[in-house]
Amino acid sequence: MRVLLTGAAGFIGSRIDLRLAERGHEVVRLDAYLPMAHGPGARDAAPADVHLLDLRDATEAQLDAVLGGIDVVCHQAAMVGNGVDAQDLPDYAAHNDLGTARLLAAMARVGVDRLVLASSMVVYGDGRYDCPEHGDVPPAVRREDDLAAGRFDPRCPVCGGDVTWRRVTEDAPIRPRTSYAASKIAQEYFADAWCTLQSGRAVALRYHNVYGPGMPADTPYSGVAAIFRSALERGEAPRVFEDGRQVRDFVHVDDVALANALAVETVAGHPVGVTPYNVASGRPFTIGDMARVLSRAVDGPEPVVTGDARVFDVRHVLASPDKAAEGLGFRAEIAPEDGIARLATDPLRRR
């Protein structure tokens, strides 16, 4: 198939590019090479076969030309990161939502009716929990006095009692907590509206914590794994917030690339509309465990658990991988303990 890959030069996009090519697909590459992601001057050094377009302001003629003859769009271009300041809202809306809306409009003009969309686990907010009295509940917002006292787990929103985390499935309510999360939800909604209007088919891949070679090491959007890795390179101990017991689902970038390839190959068989899938390892792993694995892989200093906490941080979120296994045939192949150990010496992207 002929696949338009947006964000083709990015951390995840570049690995998808390789996986699609390995599986015999023709990849048409598009990237804006924004300085905040790739560094100053990167655009001037971009490969000749990459369409240097910013979806926000590319002309209709430019977008229509790039989409000519395309079978499926694999849309990875986005501004990432937490976006924890309300002043970030306009940038996330412009990069992620306006850019996606303009891409979808062009697909409608040209007649491309299949989409694979990079979404995120952040749409779920702070996961799901079980209360002994009230069952499946969203967590209450953590209280400043609890955090100050070292109580980092959230409470039941009904009775204020203890709760335990549970796996998040794709039918869980969506609860944005950040600018980035709101923009990813909006992308899914724009895609759903496009599907309705154009009888289109879309797969939304809700990535969990992606790591691996090529992670950005020094941008405002670097993930916690890259932050810990950079500390170790400086000879410093990774600094772990809270008590280090925050549960996450770490998924290797090569597994994410595989999920995208499978989605590209199967989206035509999905019903009209957006079908969401968690892209996750399905294996619980704590932030503290990750820091320790990275440190021991390079004989670095033991991580320091700081006890620092922020109300808006997610405490626990772990995905159910079952729907992706059934609908895409996707199961993550790289265990977190193995992939994270390799990350200690993997090359990172430096601006």
Side-chain angles (χ1 to χ4, degrees):
M1 283 185 287
R2 196 162 191 255
V3 182
L4 174 63
L5 176 61
T6 73
F11 164 47
I12 296 174
S14 59
R15 306 299 280 198
I16 295 171
D17 186 358
L18 293 173
R19 184 63 67 118
L20 289 173
E22 288 171 358
R23 296 170 75 95
H25 300 293
E26 179 185 355
V27 182
V28 177
R29 301 166 185 86
L30 184 152
D31 202 291
Y33 274 89
L34 296 175
M36 63 183 178
H38 297 276
R43 186 181 178 92
D44 296 333
D49 64 348
V50 177
H51 294 274
L52 297 176
L53 293 176
D54 189 323
L55 294 173
R56 295 172 298 169
D57 57 20
T59 68
E60 289 188 359
Q62 288 174 320
L63 292 176
D64 293 356
V66 171
L67 284 161
I70 294 296
D71 298 304
V72 186
V73 172
C74 186
H75 183 32
Q76 306 296 314
M79 179 177 174
V80 299
N82 283 330
V84 297
D85 190 315
Q87 299 309 308
D88 296 329
L89 284 164
D91 281 342
Y92 280 97
H95 282 277
N96 297 351
D97 303 331
L98 175 61
T100 298
R102 297 197 74 245
L103 174 64
L104 292 169
M107 291 170 65
R109 288 193 301 271
V110 175
V112 180
D113 62 358
R114 284 175 274 169
L115 172 70
V116 175
L117 173 67
S119 188
S120 172
M121 58 89 175
V122 296
V123 303
Y124 300 123
D126 199 1
R128 301 296 292 180
Y129 293 78
D130 278 325
C131 170
E133 183 176 353
H134 298 101
D136 178 12
V137 294
V141 175
R142 297 191 296 177
R143 300 184 338 208
E144 293 278 8
D145 59 334
D146 278 344
L147 297 180
R151 179 191 170 114
F152 302 116
D153 285 319
R155 299 175 181 269
C156 173
V158 181
C159 66
D162 292 340
V163 291
T164 55
W165 61 263
R166 62 182 297 166
R167 291 181 185 271
V168 178
T169 54
E170 289 83 351
D171 58 356
I174 49 179
R175 299 176 183 276
R177 295 165 59 92
T178 65
S179 306
Y180 176 59
S183 74
K184 299 310 284 186
I185 292 169
Q187 281 185 304
E188 290 195 24
Y189 284 163
F190 275 118
D192 209 17
W194 167 80
C195 287
T196 299
L197 295 168
Q198 299 298 132
S199 297
R201 290 168 169 80
V203 165
L205 300 177
R206 293 174 176 170
Y207 303 158
H208 284 250
N209 295 77
V210 186
Y211 70 94
M215 284 187 76
D218 56 357
T219 80
Y221 314 109
S222 298
V224 67
I227 292 170
F228 289 167
R229 157 75 185 269
S230 295
L232 288 165
E233 288 179 342
R234 296 191 300 269
E236 301 171 2
R239 296 180 62 80
V240 182
F241 277 19
E242 300 183 15
D243 57 4
R245 297 175 184 167
Q246 308 94 307
V247 176
R248 294 291 187 273
D249 192 309
F250 293 102
V251 58
H252 195 276
V253 66
D254 288 341
D255 282 327
V256 174
L258 173 59
N260 274 273
L262 292 170
V264 163
E265 293 164 359
T266 61
V267 63
H270 283 69
V272 170
V274 175
T275 305
Y277 292 105
N278 289 326
V279 176
S281 71
R283 300 174 174 92
F285 213 71
T286 69
I287 298 290
D289 287 340
M290 180 184 67
R292 283 186 287 274
V293 168
L294 284 170
S295 185
R296 291 168 186 171
V298 294
D299 294 322
E302 279 292 303
V304 174
V305 178
T306 68
D308 295 338
R310 301 176 296 190
V311 170
F312 56 78
D313 280 340
V314 169
R315 177 60 177 171
H316 305 300
V317 60
L318 184 72
S320 168
D322 294 341
K323 184 177 177 182
E326 296 167 3
L328 298 177
F330 169 73
R331 286 281 188 190
E333 298 174 350
I334 301 171
E337 56 268 27
D338 298 329
I340 290 171
R342 295 204 300 267
L343 179 67
T345 54
D346 278 337
L348 301 187
R349 174 175 299 188
R350 302 182 189 278
R351 296 191 299 162

Short mmCIF file of all heavy atoms in Angstrom, two decimals, residues 24-54:
data_model
loop_
_atom_site.label_atom_id
_atom_site.label_comp_id
_atom_site.label_asym_id
_atom_site.label_seq_id
_atom_site.Cartn_x
_atom_site.Cartn_y
_atom_site.Cartn_z
N GLY A 24 6.98 -4.00 3.01
CA GLY A 24 6.69 -3.87 1.59
C GLY A 24 5.81 -2.71 1.20
O GLY A 24 5.36 -2.63 0.05
N HIS A 25 5.55 -1.77 2.12
CA HIS A 25 4.70 -0.64 1.80
C HIS A 25 5.53 0.51 1.24
O HIS A 25 6.70 0.69 1.59
CB HIS A 25 3.94 -0.16 3.04
CG HIS A 25 3.07 -1.22 3.64
ND1 HIS A 25 1.95 -1.70 3.00
CD2 HIS A 25 3.15 -1.91 4.81
CE1 HIS A 25 1.38 -2.63 3.75
NE2 HIS A 25 2.09 -2.78 4.85
N GLU A 26 4.92 1.31 0.38
CA GLU A 26 5.55 2.52 -0.14
C GLU A 26 5.20 3.67 0.81
O GLU A 26 4.02 3.97 1.01
CB GLU A 26 5.05 2.83 -1.54
CG GLU A 26 5.65 4.10 -2.14
CD GLU A 26 5.05 4.47 -3.48
OE1 GLU A 26 4.23 3.68 -4.01
OE2 GLU A 26 5.39 5.56 -4.00
N VAL A 27 6.21 4.31 1.37
CA VAL A 27 6.01 5.35 2.38
C VAL A 27 6.27 6.72 1.77
O VAL A 27 7.35 6.97 1.21
CB VAL A 27 6.91 5.14 3.60
CG1 VAL A 27 6.64 6.22 4.65
CG2 VAL A 27 6.69 3.75 4.20
N VAL A 28 5.28 7.59 1.86
CA VAL A 28 5.42 9.00 1.48
C VAL A 28 5.58 9.78 2.78
O VAL A 28 4.71 9.72 3.65
CB VAL A 28 4.20 9.50 0.69
CG1 VAL A 28 4.34 10.98 0.36
CG2 VAL A 28 4.04 8.68 -0.59
N ARG A 29 6.69 10.48 2.93
CA ARG A 29 7.06 11.08 4.21
C ARG A 29 6.76 12.58 4.25
O ARG A 29 7.06 13.30 3.30
CB ARG A 29 8.55 10.85 4.48
CG ARG A 29 8.92 9.37 4.51
CD ARG A 29 10.40 9.13 4.43
NE ARG A 29 10.68 7.69 4.33
CZ ARG A 29 10.69 7.00 3.20
NH1 ARG A 29 10.46 7.64 2.04
NH2 ARG A 29 10.92 5.71 3.19
N LEU A 30 6.20 13.02 5.39
CA LEU A 30 5.90 14.43 5.60
C LEU A 30 6.32 14.80 7.02
O LEU A 30 6.03 14.07 7.97
CB LEU A 30 4.40 14.69 5.40
CG LEU A 30 3.89 16.14 5.51
CD1 LEU A 30 2.64 16.31 4.64
CD2 LEU A 30 3.56 16.52 6.95
N ASP A 31 7.01 15.93 7.15
CA ASP A 31 7.39 16.41 8.48
C ASP A 31 7.66 17.91 8.39
O ASP A 31 8.17 18.39 7.36
CB ASP A 31 8.63 15.69 9.00
CG ASP A 31 8.75 15.75 10.51
OD1 ASP A 31 9.01 16.84 11.05
OD2 ASP A 31 8.58 14.70 11.16
N ALA A 32 7.34 18.64 9.44
CA ALA A 32 7.58 20.08 9.47
C ALA A 32 8.97 20.42 9.98
O ALA A 32 9.42 21.56 9.85
CB ALA A 32 6.53 20.77 10.35
N TYR A 33 9.66 19.44 10.60
CA TYR A 33 10.99 19.68 11.18
C TYR A 33 10.99 20.93 12.07
O TYR A 33 11.80 21.83 11.90
CB TYR A 33 12.05 19.79 10.08
CG TYR A 33 12.62 18.46 9.66
CD1 TYR A 33 12.02 17.72 8.64
CD2 TYR A 33 13.73 17.92 10.28
CE1 TYR A 33 12.52 16.48 8.26
CE2 TYR A 33 14.25 16.69 9.90
CZ TYR A 33 13.64 15.98 8.89
OH TYR A 33 14.14 14.75 8.52
N LEU A 34 10.08 20.96 13.01
CA LEU A 34 9.99 22.10 13.91
C LEU A 34 11.24 22.18 14.79
O LEU A 34 11.70 21.17 15.33
CB LEU A 34 8.76 21.98 14.80
CG LEU A 34 7.40 22.03 14.06
CD1 LEU A 34 6.27 21.77 15.03
CD2 LEU A 34 7.22 23.35 13.34
N PRO A 35 11.80 23.38 14.96
CA PRO A 35 13.03 23.51 15.75
C PRO A 35 12.90 23.02 17.18
O PRO A 35 13.86 22.48 17.74
CB PRO A 35 13.30 25.03 15.70
CG PRO A 35 12.64 25.50 14.46
CD PRO A 35 11.41 24.64 14.31
N MET A 36 11.72 23.18 17.80
CA MET A 36 11.58 22.77 19.20
C MET A 36 11.69 21.25 19.35
O MET A 36 11.98 20.75 20.43
CB MET A 36 10.25 23.25 19.77
CG MET A 36 9.03 22.68 19.12
SD MET A 36 7.53 23.41 19.83
CE MET A 36 6.26 22.61 18.86
N ALA A 37 11.47 20.51 18.27
CA ALA A 37 11.58 19.05 18.32
C ALA A 37 12.89 18.55 17.73
O ALA A 37 13.46 17.58 18.21
CB ALA A 37 10.40 18.41 17.60
N HIS A 38 13.35 19.21 16.66
CA HIS A 38 14.51 18.70 15.92
C HIS A 38 15.75 19.58 16.04
O HIS A 38 16.82 19.19 15.59
CB HIS A 38 14.15 18.55 14.44
CG HIS A 38 13.07 17.55 14.20
ND1 HIS A 38 13.31 16.20 14.08
CD2 HIS A 38 11.72 17.69 14.07
CE1 HIS A 38 12.17 15.55 13.86
NE2 HIS A 38 11.20 16.44 13.87
N GLY A 39 15.59 20.76 16.63
CA GLY A 39 16.72 21.65 16.77
C GLY A 39 16.83 22.63 15.62
O GLY A 39 16.32 22.39 14.52
N PRO A 40 17.52 23.75 15.86
CA PRO A 40 17.69 24.74 14.79
C PRO A 40 18.53 24.19 13.65
O PRO A 40 19.51 23.48 13.87
CB PRO A 40 18.39 25.91 15.51
CG PRO A 40 19.05 25.28 16.70
CD PRO A 40 18.17 24.15 17.12
N GLY A 41 18.14 24.48 12.46
CA GLY A 41 18.91 24.05 11.30
C GLY A 41 18.57 22.67 10.79
O GLY A 41 19.03 22.27 9.71
N ALA A 42 17.76 21.91 11.54
CA ALA A 42 17.45 20.54 11.11
C ALA A 42 16.67 20.53 9.80
O ALA A 42 16.87 19.65 8.96
CB ALA A 42 16.65 19.82 12.20
N ARG A 43 15.80 21.49 9.63
CA ARG A 43 15.00 21.55 8.40
C ARG A 43 15.88 21.68 7.17
O ARG A 43 15.60 21.07 6.13
CB ARG A 43 14.02 22.74 8.49
CG ARG A 43 13.02 22.82 7.34
CD ARG A 43 12.12 24.03 7.51
NE ARG A 43 11.19 24.18 6.41
CZ ARG A 43 9.97 23.67 6.37
NH1 ARG A 43 9.53 22.97 7.40
NH2 ARG A 43 9.19 23.85 5.33
N ASP A 44 16.97 22.46 7.28
CA ASP A 44 17.85 22.65 6.13
C ASP A 44 18.58 21.36 5.76
O ASP A 44 19.01 21.20 4.61
CB ASP A 44 18.88 23.74 6.44
CG ASP A 44 18.23 25.10 6.65
OD1 ASP A 44 17.14 25.32 6.08
OD2 ASP A 44 18.79 25.93 7.38
N ALA A 45 18.73 20.46 6.73
CA ALA A 45 19.44 19.20 6.48
C ALA A 45 18.49 18.02 6.24
O ALA A 45 18.93 16.88 6.21
CB ALA A 45 20.36 18.90 7.65
N ALA A 46 17.20 18.30 6.08
CA ALA A 46 16.22 17.22 5.92
C ALA A 46 16.46 16.46 4.62
O ALA A 46 16.89 17.05 3.61
CB ALA A 46 14.82 17.79 5.93
N PRO A 47 16.20 15.15 4.60
CA PRO A 47 16.36 14.37 3.37
C PRO A 47 15.47 14.91 2.26
O PRO A 47 14.38 15.45 2.50
CB PRO A 47 15.92 12.96 3.79
CG PRO A 47 16.09 12.92 5.27
CD PRO A 47 15.80 14.31 5.75
N ALA A 48 15.92 14.75 1.04
CA ALA A 48 15.21 15.31 -0.11
C ALA A 48 13.85 14.67 -0.33
O ALA A 48 12.97 15.28 -0.97
CB ALA A 48 16.07 15.17 -1.37
N ASP A 49 13.66 13.44 0.17
CA ASP A 49 12.39 12.74 -0.10
C ASP A 49 11.32 13.05 0.95
O ASP A 49 10.23 12.46 0.92
CB ASP A 49 12.61 11.23 -0.19
CG ASP A 49 13.08 10.61 1.11
OD1 ASP A 49 13.47 11.37 2.04
OD2 ASP A 49 13.07 9.37 1.23
N VAL A 50 11.58 13.97 1.88
CA VAL A 50 10.59 14.34 2.88
C VAL A 50 9.87 15.61 2.44
O VAL A 50 10.50 16.60 2.07
CB VAL A 50 11.25 14.58 4.26
CG1 VAL A 50 10.21 15.05 5.28
CG2 VAL A 50 11.93 13.31 4.75
N HIS A 51 8.55 15.58 2.45
CA HIS A 51 7.75 16.77 2.16
C HIS A 51 7.80 17.70 3.38
O HIS A 51 7.28 17.35 4.45
CB HIS A 51 6.31 16.40 1.84
CG HIS A 51 6.17 15.61 0.58
ND1 HIS A 51 6.05 16.19 -0.67
CD2 HIS A 51 6.13 14.27 0.37
CE1 HIS A 51 5.94 15.25 -1.59
NE2 HIS A 51 5.98 14.08 -0.99
N LEU A 52 8.43 18.84 3.25
CA LEU A 52 8.61 19.78 4.36
C LEU A 52 7.37 20.67 4.46
O LEU A 52 7.35 21.78 3.92
CB LEU A 52 9.87 20.61 4.16
CG LEU A 52 11.18 19.81 4.14
CD1 LEU A 52 12.35 20.72 3.82
CD2 LEU A 52 11.39 19.09 5.46
N LEU A 53 6.36 20.17 5.15
CA LEU A 53 5.10 20.89 5.26
C LEU A 53 4.63 20.91 6.70
O LEU A 53 4.76 19.92 7.43
CB LEU A 53 4.01 20.22 4.41
CG LEU A 53 4.18 20.26 2.88
CD1 LEU A 53 3.05 19.47 2.23
CD2 LEU A 53 4.19 21.70 2.38
N ASP A 54 4.11 22.05 7.10
CA ASP A 54 3.45 22.20 8.39
C ASP A 54 1.95 22.13 8.13
O ASP A 54 1.40 22.95 7.39
CB ASP A 54 3.82 23.55 9.01
CG ASP A 54 3.34 23.70 10.45
OD1 ASP A 54 2.24 23.20 10.76
OD2 ASP A 54 4.06 24.32 11.25
#
